[in-house]
Amino acid sequence: MKKPYILAVDDDASVLRAVERDLKTKFSVSYRILAVDSPSKALDAVRQLTARNDRVALFLVDQRMPHMSGTEFLQEALALQPDARRVLLTAYADSAAAIDAINKVKLNHYLMKPWEPPEQNLYPILVDQLEDWRAGYQESFEGTFIIGSRWAPETHRLKDFLAKSQIPYRWVEPDAISDPKIQAAIDGESVEFPAVIFSDGSVLSRPDQSQVAQKLGLNTVPSRQFYDVVVVGAGPAGLACALYCSTEGLNAVLIEKEAPGGQAALSSRIENYLGFPAGLSGADLARRGAAQVRRFGTEVLAPAEAASLRVEGEYRIVRLTNGQELAAHSVVIASGVEWRRLEVEGLDRLTGAGVYYGAAMTESSSCKGEDVYIVGGANSAGQAAVHFSEMARSVTMIVRGKSLSATMSHYLSERIKTIPNISVVPSAEVIEVHGEDRLSEIVVRHHDTQTTETLPAGALFIFIGAEPHTEWLEGVVCRDHKGFLLTGTNLVNGDRRPAGWSINRDPYLLETSVPGVFAVGDVRDGAVRRVANSVGEGSIVLYFIRQHMRNR
Ligand SMILES: Cc1cc2nc3c(=O)[nH]c(=O)nc-3n(C[C@H](O)[C@H](O)[C@H](O)COP(=O)(O)OP(=O)(O)OC[C@H]3O[C@@H](n4cnc5c(N)ncnc54)[C@H](O)[C@@H]3O)c2cc1C
């Protein structure tokens, strides 16, 4: 692989020398460092690098330069190198300009000058940014390929699984294979599509998730039978819980039926999580969280799905769908929620073939230049609309309510108003979808006028609220009528503790109706469905786990 570039731009010669020196000291083994003293020369350099097929991994740019600001430079440079990470060097007084850059060029970070010592103030930030860049980087002719029709639901499932597992892949239509390496891998084989080609040249025809996981070396087999804590679900709540358990010396295993990150990993940009003024993508949050829990020794099994829970004396035993059993002193259920299904004629048949639940990130590149429809008016739908507006020709949001303001955060509904290719159709719903083997039309009912309208549609993305899938806990843990898990005081009625409660104390704050079994995050009855809440509950549950272990 050719070394990618880090490009530093600053008109102040002494600052530029210092930046260049610090960058070379830390990064020259893996990156080429280019330091340029004016934005116009830097743009020439970017044009040349792009023409030579060289990649810029990171721009480190001064904001205050004559003739062109750092933000203006980034606006032009990103047209040539759109994947590069963007870091602005600002003086203290420039923080307003940096905030402006967050909106204009999706700035990834702003750094105050001076940054001495670099070990503390420069390197950790740039290492983070470069890791994020590498996670999304694909060198041509290397890595994993999915060969399959865009309209085959199996192709969509494979793309979704690899994307959520943070495995970089390239997707190619079977009749558009131009790469001789791909052709060589499938020539002479009786390959059925969708197929996955791995970096060693091996091919799997129409594989399921577990075959791909096995081939990629993902960990699905527990290393032991007994743990202090089994955590079910690796969304923000489960990741936070596993992290705190491991850092506090408990032996924890985290089981996840798809890939770490949960719903948060579907978010194109989380902007309300404290400490990330430029926002961060859900995929980056998931990757960082999973790396952090592994670093402190949590065992992560994914894909691995919990199928049942039972109590045997002091032990709580989780059985997986593959029959394996894990016993622990405590179990934390952090299984979150999943998209509610839209009950519409024809929809199930076309799911994965033009109709998608969530999936904004996986399918966005396929929607270039198309007319995209989104059902839903909450934040997840709004984020998806903003994300698609960058590549689709038009984005239409079909919303049951009279406006977005009742269901969406103010910052997002205001942003949507400023984006010209997003339109909002209020008081409306999709009542039918049509298509043979892929979506071709949707039928929309307008409640105000009592009329229906049939529209040609290539893609329909559904973001209509969510429900917990806790059927596997039926008869073991108390749930409310929608399936959310009851915890703490919600289980106690006057003096009456939940049925079957066997010990002489009330349930702790996040404890379910089974002592030692806890629920955190979106799956919990009454939870505030936000990343920060899930991370908070996942972090504090350790306190109650300890109490339970001490008093059992
Ligand atoms: C598109 C989108 C955008 C969003 N944007 C924002 C935002 O900007 N800001 C914000 O604060 N919030 C946002 N949210 C909400 C936020 O993502 C959720 O509140 C948060 O992810 C909930 O975390 P959780 O860990 O409780 O559950 P989840 O994130 O739902 O994670 C639960 C995990 O458990 C796994 N699981 C389920 N059942 C099992 C089982 N039986 N065995 C093993 N694993 C299982 C699931 O696969 C999943 O990975 C967004 C949500 C979506 C969908």
Side-chain angles (χ1 to χ4, degrees), residues 18-256:
V19 176
E20 188 176 14
R21 179 201 60 215
D22 288 345
L23 290 177
K24 281 189 169 157
T25 307
K26 175 78 180 167
F27 299 108
S28 59
V29 173
S30 308
Y31 297 88
R32 286 167 200 245
I33 313 299
L34 194 57
V36 185
D37 64 6
S38 88
S40 58
K41 283 190 212 161
L43 279 175
D44 284 343
V46 179
R47 281 186 204 105
Q48 284 172 25
L49 294 177
T50 310
R52 289 201 321 242
N53 234 353
D54 277 311
R55 304 287 296 263
V56 179
L58 185 131
F59 290 115
L60 180 58
V61 186
D62 183 34
Q63 169 64 6
R64 288 202 180 182
M65 295 183 285
H67 311 303
M68 187 182 263
S69 70
T71 308
E72 287 163 344
F73 164 79
L74 284 172
Q75 274 174 317
E76 293 200 26
L78 288 168
L80 300 162
Q81 295 276 342
D83 300 328
R85 308 296 286 185
R86 311 105 207 234
V87 177
L88 208 57
L89 282 170
T90 63
Y92 181 73
D94 278 346
S95 55
I99 289 164
D100 184 48
I102 289 172
N103 294 323
K104 287 196 173 135
V105 293
K106 291 194 178 161
L107 192 70
N108 296 112
H109 203 96
Y110 59 93
L111 262 170
M112 303 277 185
K113 290 192 265 189
W115 56 85
E116 293 297 329
E119 290 74 17
Q120 192 176 318
N121 296 326
L122 182 70
Y123 296 155
I125 289 155
L126 299 191
V127 165
D128 253 9
Q129 293 302 327
L130 290 168
E131 278 177 6
D132 286 348
W133 179 80
R134 281 207 177 263
Y137 174 77
Q138 297 162 28
E139 178 74 355
S140 34
F141 312 122
E142 275 183 14
T144 304
F145 291 85
I146 296 175
I147 319 294
S149 158
R150 173 183 171 190
W151 305 111
E154 283 171 287
T155 306
H156 169 65
R157 278 196 289 275
L158 286 169
K159 282 160 72 179
D160 209 38
F161 174 63
L162 288 188
K164 284 180 178 161
S165 304
Q166 314 263 337
I167 310 281
Y169 68 89
R170 286 188 171 221
W171 160 63
V172 183
E173 284 280 358
D175 55 10
I177 299 172
S178 57
D179 180 343
K181 280 196 184 164
I182 301 180
Q183 200 57 59
I186 58 174
D187 272 352
E189 306 266 337
S190 53
V191 175
E192 283 183 60
F193 298 120
V196 181
I197 304 178
F198 298 90
S199 48
D200 61 1
S202 60
V203 184
L204 284 179
S205 285
R206 304 186 64 189
D208 64 22
Q209 215 165 275
S210 60
Q211 289 170 297
V212 177
Q214 209 174 4
K215 180 75 199 158
L216 291 168
L218 301 180
N219 186 18
T220 56
V221 181
S223 66
R224 48 203 290 168
Q225 281 182 313
F226 294 96
Y227 294 86
D228 291 322
V229 186
V230 173
V231 185
V232 179
L239 285 166
C241 172
L243 175 68
Y244 275 78
C245 286
S246 296
T247 53
E248 295 305 311
L250 295 184
N251 210 310
V253 63
L254 180 57
I255 59 179
E256 165 55 52

Side-chain angles (χ1 to χ4, degrees), residues 232-239 255-273 304-307 334-339 358 379-381 383-384 411 463 469 472 520-523 528-535:
V232 179
L239 285 166
I255 59 179
E256 165 55 52
K257 70 175 180 175
E258 293 184 341
Q263 297 166 69
L266 306 171
S267 172
S268 44
R269 205 149 128 98
I270 297 169
E271 298 190 67
N272 56 0
Y273 190 51
E305 182 172 359
S335 53
V337 293
E338 288 171 27
W339 298 113
N379 281 0
S380 49
Q383 282 178 11
Y411 82 91
F463 296 84
H469 283 283
W472 61 284
V520 292
D522 282 14
V523 74
V528 177
R529 300 215 204 118
R530 289 283 185 270
V531 173
N533 179 68
S534 290
V535 169

